[in-house]
Amino acid sequence: MIIKGIVVSPGYACGNAFLLNEENICVNKNKININDIDFEVSHFLKSHKETVKQFKKIQSNLLDEDKKLLFDGYIILLEDESFINDIIALIKNNFISAEFAVDKIINKRVKAINKVNNTYIKERINDFLDIGKRLIYNLKNINNFDFNFLDKENNIIIISKDLSPSQVIQFNLKKIIGFITEFGSINSHTSIIAKSLELPAIIKVKDVTKLIYNNDYIIIDGIKNNIYINPNKNIIKKFKSKNKIYLYQKKKLIKLSKLPAKTLDGYRIKLFANIGNDEEIKNILNNGAEGIGLYRTEFLFMNRNSFPTEEEQFYSYKKIIEFMHGKIVTIRTLDLGGDKFLPYMNFPKESTPFLGWRSIRIYVNNKNILHDQLRAILRASVYGKVRIMFPMIISMEEVFFLKNEFLKIKYEFKKKKINFDKNIKIGAMIETPAAVMISKYLAEELDFFSIGTNDLTQYTLAVDRNNAMVSHLYETLSPSVLRMIKYSIDAVHKKNKEIGICGEIASDSSVTMLLLGLGLDELSMSSNFIPKIKNNIRNFLWLDAKKLVFDILKFNTIDKIKTLLKKKTKFLTY
Ligand code: PEP
Ligand code: MG
């Protein structure tokens, strides 16, 4: 039997299923006697203390600073006074058990977060559930977290309704070789950790805990998104050898990291990394990133209760800049709105938020947000090579506004004798058709550009990038979007400025040849993809890539474009 889900961490795994059955935790919902209230409160406080201790222990066993940070967040949530007081008040006022009170308060918080129309914030639901689960297990004296019970097993694939980040972090990777869950989400910490541990994982597999039994033989094909349940011997043999080749090639690709991203006839392109938070910087140099082409700073502003101060931002930027040792770090200023909101900032209810109060439009009435961020970046700029990039530009008026505000801050710094990089470059995302059409003028005012194909595709085709009803129409390889990209590259190059792509298409190795043929100076992507893209680049001629673009731009349908692209690039292994 073969089933499917969503691959969040690629790779192969062949082993025996272990079902993590956590469904049957019963919370005692009976009313308690007035005489038992003190006991329940102290029982809660003891378990709370134990839970904090356990998280701190897991944290101290971790070597990776970034993963340690995740548990800082857990401990802050747990030690929040209002969280503790709300639980105690519920026990006292409603005469209910500590476990029921914890369950109620966690659910209340989860419901509140669920109302926020923001995927990033929704990911925090898992953190709350993780904390709640552990608290209730401790209240019930159950230990289902340390996975020591798997000590004698080998090659285990965990099957579960869902997994918390703290569970995945504790996996003994010598024994657990992959996981499959029924729920989960792509941007959750669980998925991010799976990816950084390079643990093959597939989520959102319907009814997986009913379809798979303990000790079933499972193959995760995290390349083609297939899960095999009790396959025959031949299939097992085939996947074991596929896995060997996959691991060998991965090692070989990483060795490319020191080599330049250069075509056979010498066309050199820069391969940069996209990052959204500190967690992602760890591997980018090993993967051969030559810089950071897009640092989405929104993460820094989310998962908290107030704006980060200039000082906090400064330390975050400095940390990343220093880590990059003089390589370019492109910091994009805050790109809120659309589907990204802050719990501590009032956003109007809009019928079309992607066309509404978004990005730099927010700065006009909230200059302090822009100023604090620019000050923090400028202060950090002395520690390496920084570029500032503005999102969602649609007009020259916006460019003049932003340059003027930037000038004011630089003037303030000079007056106060604060050091900053005097040659710092400022650039813009080209992610609206408006920016494409004025790219010639933009290139007269700004130093560099990066095409945000994710938004450019949605705005060119009038297709909401998050709307499943129209996702079949969302196609960056459509003739209209390709022409937008070509138009911008040519206009910017005429003014001798550099232009790259930082949208998702940059990581799609099946279009790398086309992108190079368009004449881009830089591709920026999640760094895991860099070795593969580089390998591709080193195996074709730029001359052929240019010819490919020439031919493709003659076509007027997506189908014809894709067919030719496939035909002309099939000699490359994706
Ligand atoms: C884009 O729009 O292509 C882009 C890189 O920005 P984001 O995905 O953050 O909107
Ligand atoms: Mg964008």
Side-chain angles (χ1 to χ4, degrees):
M1 186 182 187
I2 302 176
I3 51 176
K4 283 177 179 287
I6 294 177
V7 176
V8 288
S9 179
Y12 298 103
C14 309
N16 290 96
F18 183 89
L19 255 86
L20 211 56
N21 189 358
E22 297 185 320
E23 275 175 276
N24 304 327
I25 328 165
C26 247
V27 171
N28 172 13
K29 295 188 178 172
N30 294 333
K31 287 268 177 205
I32 55 164
N33 196 301
I34 192 161
N35 302 325
D36 293 334
I37 286 181
D38 286 346
F39 169 78
E40 286 297 322
V41 171
S42 80
H43 185 39
F44 162 66
L45 289 173
K46 259 194 214 150
S47 304
H48 177 272
K49 207 167 149 190
E50 175 60 25
T51 309
V52 174
K53 205 170 109 192
Q54 286 173 2
F55 282 134
K56 285 190 173 160
K57 189 171 165 218
I58 303 173
Q59 195 181 37
S60 67
N61 286 337
L62 295 170
L63 295 174
D64 186 336
E65 283 302 317
D66 299 329
K67 292 202 193 85
K68 283 187 181 199
L69 276 180
L70 169 63
F71 287 94
D72 276 343
Y74 272 36
I75 292 161
I76 290 169
L77 287 176
L78 251 180
E79 289 187 333
D80 174 24
E81 264 182 39
S82 69
F83 176 68
I84 300 172
N85 292 340
D86 285 355
I87 291 169
I88 296 177
L90 258 189
I91 300 172
K92 285 184 174 167
N93 301 336
N94 293 22
F95 300 96
I96 58 174
S97 66
E99 54 191 70
F100 193 22
V102 169
D103 193 48
K104 270 180 173 268
I105 294 295
I106 292 281
N107 282 333
K108 199 170 151 195
R109 304 248 164 150
V110 165
K111 264 193 201 148
I113 301 174
N114 230 335
K115 279 192 194 134
V116 181
N117 184 16
N118 176 333
T119 32
Y120 287 113
I121 293 189
K122 280 193 176 152
E123 310 298 354
R124 301 294 68 76
I125 287 177
N126 285 334
D127 299 354
F128 267 104
L129 292 175
D130 198 8
I131 290 169
K133 200 192 293 177
R134 193 170 280 258
L135 262 172
I136 293 174
Y137 270 77
N138 281 328
L139 282 162
K140 286 178 156 306
N141 253 328
I142 303 171
N143 179 357
N144 201 7
F145 291 94
D146 59 16
F147 293 96
N148 283 337
F149 56 92
L150 288 177
D151 259 3
K152 289 184 196 68
E153 317 277 347
N154 255 331
N155 290 347
I156 295 292
I157 294 176
I158 299 283
I159 314 292
S160 178
K161 287 249 175 218
D162 208 351
L163 283 169
S164 65
S166 64
Q167 285 176 305
V168 178
I169 259 169
Q170 280 178 286
F171 280 176
N172 176 349
L173 298 180
K174 288 200 184 101
K175 302 189 181 291
I176 297 176
I177 55 167
F179 70 79
I180 305 168
T181 62
E182 185 163 343
F183 303 110
S185 76
I186 298 172
N187 294 311
S188 68
H189 280 127
T190 300
S191 301
I192 292 171
I193 290 166
K195 227 183 290 175
S196 76
L197 296 175
E198 305 194 356
L199 190 65
I202 300 188
I203 62 166
K204 286 191 184 285
V205 184
K206 198 163 175 280
D207 291 333
V208 68
T209 52
K210 293 194 188 108
L211 295 170
I212 296 179
Y213 293 88
N214 257 333
N215 281 323
D216 274 349
Y217 195 86
I218 302 296
I219 296 176
I220 296 181
D221 175 356
I223 304 298
K224 294 215 167 121
N225 182 19
N226 285 322
I227 298 160
Y228 294 76
I229 308 174
N230 295 321
N232 66 35
K233 271 189 194 144
N234 286 341
I235 297 180
I236 297 175
K237 207 169 142 198
K238 185 175 110 190
F239 274 95
K240 280 192 172 164
S241 85
K242 264 183 181 238
N243 192 27
K244 267 192 196 143
I245 298 169
Y246 175 77
L247 295 175
Y248 170 74
Q249 281 178 341
K250 222 163 111 178
K251 254 195 202 153
K252 223 171 81 184
L253 283 180
I254 294 283
K255 282 196 189 137
L256 284 179
S257 66
K258 298 273 178 307
L259 298 175
K262 204 162 48 169
T263 61
L264 292 169
D265 49 350
Y267 181 78
R268 177 81 166 86
I269 190 162
K270 285 173 230 149
L271 295 184
F272 283 0
N274 287 355
I275 61 163
N277 56 21
D278 295 359
E279 258 176 62
E280 288 167 76
I281 62 175
K282 194 183 68 165
N283 287 325
I284 65 181
L285 295 177
N286 284 344
N287 283 332
E290 296 167 82
I292 291 172
L294 169 65
Y295 172 15
R296 291 181 168 100
T297 52
E298 294 80 62
F299 258 117
L300 201 59
F301 290 71
M302 290 170 168
N303 309 327
R304 42 183 301 140
N305 297 321
S306 58
F307 278 101
T309 60
E310 177 194 317
E311 203 62 15
E312 283 175 283
Q313 290 189 58
F314 163 69
Y315 282 111
S316 294
Y317 304 146
K318 178 172 173 273
K319 183 177 160 196
I320 289 171
I321 293 163
E322 285 182 331
F323 180 85
M324 291 304 287
H325 293 296
K327 293 188 163 69
I328 287 179
V329 177
T330 312
I331 303 180
R332 181 175 74 182
T333 59
L334 195 57
D335 185 16
L336 289 177
D339 62 349
K340 295 180 242 165
F341 304 98
L342 302 178
Y344 48 89
M345 188 178 175
N346 275 336
F347 279 85
K349 273 234 164 321
E350 297 173 293
S351 54
T352 50
F354 274 104
L355 302 180
W357 203 53
R358 245 203 98 171
S359 255
I360 54 164
R361 297 169 189 186
I362 295 175
Y363 305 162
V364 180
N365 301 319
N366 295 278
K367 285 192 189 165
N368 51 331
I369 298 179
L370 174 66
H371 289 177
D372 279 355
Q373 191 167 29
L374 289 177
R375 281 193 196 101
I377 299 172
L378 267 189
R379 280 173 58 196
S381 68
V382 293
Y383 295 93
K385 198 164 178 194
V386 181
R387 306 192 294 191
I388 298 174
M389 180 157 75
F390 297 112
M392 270 293 288
I393 297 288
I394 59 159
S395 70
M396 293 307 291
E397 284 83 348
E398 287 173 342
V399 172
F400 295 135
F401 162 76
L402 291 163
K403 282 184 82 171
N404 197 34
E405 296 306 309
F406 188 48
L407 259 181
K408 280 192 218 165
I409 305 290
K410 285 206 285 192
Y411 182 69
E412 175 192 311
F413 270 44
K414 276 182 195 152
K415 245 175 66 184
K416 290 186 183 159
K417 297 200 175 10
I418 303 173
N419 257 346
F420 66 95
D421 174 9
K422 308 282 181 309
N423 296 316
I424 190 163
K425 302 246 185 302
I426 53 170
M429 303 270 301
I430 297 199
E431 51 183 349
T432 63
V436 172
M437 299 317 290
I438 59 167
S439 43
K440 166 180 160 188
Y441 305 111
L442 293 174
E444 284 166 3
E445 292 295 329
L446 296 165
D447 303 313
F448 72 95
F449 299 88
S450 189
I451 306 174
T453 45
N454 306 341
D455 274 320
L456 185 60
T457 305
Q458 84 162 338
Y459 291 127
T460 303
L461 302 175
V463 173
D464 183 341
R465 65 196 257 194
N466 293 331
N467 185 342
M469 297 276 288
V470 287
S471 58
H472 59 290
L473 298 173
Y474 184 94
E475 184 52 80
T476 304
L477 287 180
S478 70
S480 49
V481 180
L482 283 183
R483 277 173 176 74
M484 290 270 173
I485 296 173
K486 170 97 172 61
Y487 187 94
S488 322
I489 297 170
D490 292 348
V492 168
H493 279 170
K494 267 199 187 122
K495 301 285 173 194
N496 294 319
K497 302 281 168 69
E498 293 203 345
I499 180 163
I501 283 187
C502 60
E504 290 310 299
I505 193 92
S507 63
D508 182 347
S509 47
S510 69
V511 294
T512 307
M513 191 167 167
L514 175 69
L515 297 183
L516 261 82
L518 285 163
L520 288 156
D521 303 294
E522 147 197 336
L523 291 177
S524 192
M525 66 201 82
S526 169
S527 77
N528 295 335
F529 294 94
I530 289 179
K532 210 169 174 186
I533 298 282
K534 187 185 283 185
N535 188 41
N536 240 332
I537 292 171
R538 293 177 60 83
N539 279 297
F540 60 77
L541 290 165
W542 192 47
L543 205 71
D544 289 337
K546 282 200 292 188
K547 169 93 176 34
L548 175 69
V549 170
F550 183 80
D551 290 339
I552 273 184
L553 288 175
K554 282 191 233 155
F555 289 133
N556 56 12
T557 66
I558 299 168
D559 254 8
K560 285 184 198 158
I561 289 175
K562 283 191 163 176
T563 308
L564 183 74
L565 188 61
K566 208 165 170 188
K567 189 171 149 208
K568 295 280 180 183
T569 59
K570 71 169 182 274
F571 70 97
L572 296 164
T573 47
Y574 300 139

